[in-house]
Amino acid sequence: MKAGEKAVIQVTGLYKVYKVGDTKVRALNGVDFNIHRGEFCAIVGASGSGKSTLLNMLAGLEKPTKGKIVIAGEHMETKSENELVAFRRKHIGFIFQSFNLLPTMNAVENVALPLTFQGMDKSKREKLAEDAIKLVGLKKYRKHKPTQMSGGQQQRVGVARALVVNPEIIFADEPTGNLDSRTSEDVMNLMKKVVREQNQTLIMVTHDNHLAEYADRIFHIKDGKIIKIEDKRESAESGSVESEEKE
């Protein structure tokens, strides 16, 4: 990172406590980290580790019990529900495990959907959607509907849809969970390429350590705490595994 470069995500003292009957469950138990523009970060952990809760917090889908989340200079924890919806539409792209494409729409129409919600006129949103489809290598399939495409192609449409709003952050929740291993690798390589070429910031949640290896940094989460951060770029440069243990 360049000296003095401001983080695009700043998380400070983040806690999430759920009440289950008379029991308090700490889903997040004091989480701190920064993420910079152009980084591909993976949050990896077993089921129940807190990784999905953390993603929901970052995306403004759940409120923290305590702590601060600053994205693109704006405090997520103080926003109202309507403000969070408006923020997500403008600044955040999502890639889902189940693709979430509308079956009645073709690839371009599915990609253009977030721009429709923004109220953009038809010709402009179609142009941007066409550009995004081209970026993910699906120009030939632009008029195909989801049922006419493979799982990998559908997920490429999902990546294009996340990119079309030129978001500050892209969140990916188990993005290859419904794909076979070879197709998963294709999609992961595509996401890595897009992050590099578009200088995008991508946060991926996965339980799969192998998929996490595609990221620049890997945040290992256990029992609601980040126990280790691996920097794969330092590893590649030095030829050794560099990691930062968290107390």
Side-chain angles (χ1 to χ4, degrees):
M1 293 304 125
K2 292 168 189 147
E5 186 181 351
K6 199 166 169 60
V8 73
I9 297 179
Q10 295 167 289
V11 175
T12 312
L14 200 62
Y15 290 82
K16 182 64 178 180
V17 181
Y18 295 104
K19 271 196 170 181
V20 183
D22 293 333
T23 312
K24 283 185 176 179
V25 178
R26 289 178 179 269
L28 292 177
N29 195 15
V31 172
D32 303 90
F33 60 81
N34 289 341
I35 291 172
H36 290 81
R37 182 155 183 85
E39 276 197 290
F40 178 1
C41 294
I43 300 167
V44 66
S47 179
S49 60
K51 62 184 187 298
S52 295
T53 302
L54 179 53
L55 186 81
N56 288 341
M57 298 276 152
L58 294 174
L61 298 169
E62 282 187 64
K63 291 268 190 182
T65 305
K66 196 169 78 171
K68 293 178 183 174
I69 304 166
V70 182
I71 296 183
E74 298 192 38
H75 280 264
M76 303 300 281
E77 77 280 359
T78 58
K79 288 185 181 295
S80 69
E81 202 51 52
N82 287 342
E83 287 169 340
L84 285 169
V85 169
F87 184 87
R88 282 196 295 269
R89 281 183 182 169
K90 192 175 176 186
H91 296 280
I92 291 173
F94 289 98
I95 302 169
F96 302 96
Q97 178 178 339
S98 54
F99 317 139
N100 285 13
L101 303 180
L102 293 181
T104 56
M105 290 184 167
N106 65 33
V108 169
E109 289 166 338
N110 264 294
V111 170
L113 207 53
L115 302 174
T116 310
F117 294 139
Q118 286 185 4
M120 188 181 288
D121 70 75
K122 192 178 179 193
S123 61
K124 191 175 178 185
R125 68 178 185 250
E126 281 186 354
K127 165 76 170 68
L128 289 171
E130 293 269 8
D131 290 346
I133 284 283
K134 203 181 296 180
L135 188 70
V136 300
L138 283 183
K139 192 178 174 186
K140 281 197 300 187
Y141 300 89
R142 47 194 278 285
K143 295 296 183 186
H144 284 51
K145 289 184 177 168
T147 53
Q148 299 169 304
M149 292 185 280
S150 68
Q153 288 164 343
Q154 288 183 63
Q155 193 56 298
R156 281 173 178 259
V157 175
V159 172
R161 181 184 53 197
L163 286 167
V164 79
V165 295
N166 191 25
E168 208 79 43
I169 320 282
I170 297 170
F171 292 113
D173 189 1
E174 299 282 6
T176 63
N178 286 336
L179 303 174
D180 62 54
S181 57
R182 187 176 167 189
T183 310
S184 293
E185 288 191 13
D186 287 344
V187 169
M188 293 305 301
N189 282 318
L190 169 71
M191 293 199 306
K192 194 166 184 174
K193 177 173 176 273
V194 161
V195 168
R196 292 284 168 278
E197 291 179 359
Q198 305 296 309
N199 196 30
Q200 281 290 349
T201 308
L202 174 63
I203 317 295
M204 176 181 75
V205 163
T206 182
H207 67 279
D208 188 325
N209 283 300
H210 172 65
L211 291 180
E213 293 287 323
Y214 283 86
D216 299 319
R217 285 197 295 159
I218 306 172
F219 295 73
H220 294 268
I221 190 167
K222 184 180 180 182
D223 299 330
K225 285 191 168 191
I226 290 173
I227 54 167
K228 183 171 72 170
I229 300 173
E230 279 184 83
D231 195 325
K232 306 303 290 183
R233 295 159 306 183
E234 287 180 15
S235 305
E237 284 164 18
S238 65
S240 63
V241 176
E242 294 283 339
S243 67
E244 174 192 336
E245 296 288 343
K246 306 288 281 186
E247 290 303 320

